[in-house]
Amino acid sequence: MKFLSRGWKKTAAAAAALLLLSSSMFALTGCAPGEAKSGASSSAAVQAEGQLKPGTAYVKRDPSVTYSVPEGVSVLMFHMIGDIPNNAAVETEANLRLQMNYLRDHGYHPITMQELYDYVTKGAALPEKPVCITFDDGYLDSYTIVYPMMKEYGFPWTLFLITDDVGKPYNRMTWDQLKEMADSHTVTIANHTLSHPKLHNLATAKEKEKEIVEANEALKYHLGIDNAWLAYPYGDYDDQVVEICKKAGIKMAVTTDSGRVHVGSYPYELKRVYIGNDISLARFSERLNKDNYTPV
Ligand SMILES: [Zn+2]
């Protein structure tokens, strides 16, 4: 949830108009975006080993996959995976597997943060039936359950990590485990702040800056990551937080506000689509495709 002014809206609308204009110009000249084509996009192209950026997911897709500019993309939001009764947001491993089976069996193509960024800001083409998979916080199950499962399906995903929680005894990962994940290039590891506060509640800009900048520094120090992506804890932010993100090299940030993202969406307040045990497969399917999906 955003606090304070909404001054960005004008800029976002202008950007969307520009994007629309430029995509129609492309259409006139007969080249992408907007035009379906085959083959991996440049950002998805598999680079030579050693050129891969640490902590960044790369995906090798079948060259027959068709690319086009979709009407919208669902950025799926997951948290903990496990068995905690009466907490629908903690999804069971069995339900996660059912959903990943659904994606595979229905021809969905999970995309990376870079692909999402290129889509939102430049109207870049995406593989058919795109979806973006994100997990917040950095629970141990992101290493023990999610990491091997996504590898098995060949799905790139993104982990938004609370860096000060790494190594804590209860249900958290170690930096060694994160390093293994970062070096696998199957997951993008990104910023979910140092300690997971409600950012707009922090008294000073300095405190907000510390949460964002020092988490980026931890990602760089421990994992070698030059991070450009962030998830606001509790989806909570304000204009000052967005300015701090921009200065810290964050290019795109996701909220917990419910909805899908589109070409021209303001990259510092991208909506996400909640997924949990209370989302049946029928509702899951709806959430992959429809802007006005049924609320929980
Ligand atoms: Zn969180």
Side-chain angles (χ1 to χ4, degrees):
M1 184 179 288
K2 164 96 180 286
F3 291 84
L4 302 174
S5 88
R6 295 235 147 221
W8 61 267
K9 267 202 168 158
K10 242 183 176 171
T11 334
L18 252 179
L19 279 163
L20 272 178
L21 185 68
S22 60
S23 54
S24 57
M25 282 162 68
F26 276 120
L28 284 174
T29 56
C31 59
E35 184 184 326
K37 63 182 171 73
S38 285
S41 72
S42 56
S43 64
V46 174
Q47 303 181 6
E49 198 74 33
Q51 284 186 312
L52 299 180
K53 286 189 199 160
T56 300
Y58 288 86
V59 52
K60 187 178 183 180
R61 299 195 178 98
D62 191 311
S64 67
V65 173
T66 304
Y67 280 65
S68 61
V69 183
E71 161 276 314
V73 174
S74 298
V75 181
L76 306 184
M77 176 178 64
F78 296 89
H79 286 83
M80 191 186 287
I81 300 298
D83 293 298
I84 297 188
N86 306 317
N87 187 345
V90 179
E91 189 166 77
T92 64
E93 181 178 350
N95 277 347
L96 179 65
R97 186 167 284 283
L98 281 176
Q99 290 158 352
M100 295 306 111
N101 280 344
Y102 185 93
L103 295 182
R104 182 196 57 201
D105 296 346
H106 292 81
Y108 282 88
H109 290 100
I111 61 168
T112 64
M113 278 290 118
Q114 184 65 48
E115 288 178 306
L116 183 69
Y117 178 76
D118 291 343
Y119 165 72
V120 167
T121 60
K122 298 178 221 160
L126 292 176
E128 58 192 317
K129 293 188 162 185
V131 62
C132 187
I133 301 172
T134 69
F135 282 77
D136 285 9
D137 300 336
Y139 301 108
L140 181 59
D141 54 78
S142 286
Y143 174 74
T144 57
I145 298 173
V146 182
Y147 167 54
M149 193 189 290
M150 295 302 153
K151 248 198 206 170
E152 179 191 330
Y153 286 87
F155 290 167
W157 59 294
T158 299
L159 173 68
F160 290 108
L161 182 70
I162 307 166
T163 55
D164 265 4
D165 280 357
V166 177
K168 283 191 177 167
Y170 177 69
N171 200 25
R172 298 291 177 170
M173 281 180 272
T174 64
W175 283 114
D176 281 347
Q177 290 166 332
L178 282 156
K179 182 79 177 123
E180 180 193 335
M181 289 167 68
D183 291 347
S184 76
H185 300 292
T186 58
V187 52
T188 298
I189 302 176
N191 190 330
H192 197 33
T193 73
L194 268 189
S195 67
H196 207 263
K198 285 195 169 170
L199 287 167
H200 100 280
N201 278 344
L202 298 180
T204 65
K206 267 243 154 321
E207 288 173 74
K208 295 173 183 176
E209 191 181 282
K210 178 182 160 79
E211 285 288 336
I212 293 164
V213 170
E214 291 190 13
N216 254 15
E217 286 170 358
L219 292 173
K220 179 71 177 177
Y221 177 80
H222 292 281
L223 307 173
I225 296 173
D226 292 311
N227 175 61
W229 327 116
L230 178 135
Y232 305 113
Y234 311 101
D236 176 290
Y237 63 104
D238 58 21
D239 285 339
Q240 199 173 38
V241 168
V242 171
E243 287 315 307
I244 291 165
C245 282
K246 288 178 182 171
K247 277 193 208 133
I250 302 290
K251 297 194 293 185
M252 183 168 73
V254 296
T255 70
T256 55
D257 288 344
S258 143
R260 305 174 80 223
V261 308
H262 306 90
V263 175
S265 291
Y266 185 51
Y268 292 92
E269 52 181 24
L270 296 187
K271 293 176 176 174
R272 287 191 289 175
V273 175
Y274 160 85
I275 303 295
N277 285 327
D278 45 353
I279 304 299
S280 65
L281 267 187
R283 280 194 164 189
F284 182 71
S285 153
E286 192 193 21
R287 281 171 182 244
L288 295 171
N289 294 297
K290 281 194 181 169
D291 278 340
N292 56 342
Y293 56 79
T294 314
V296 177

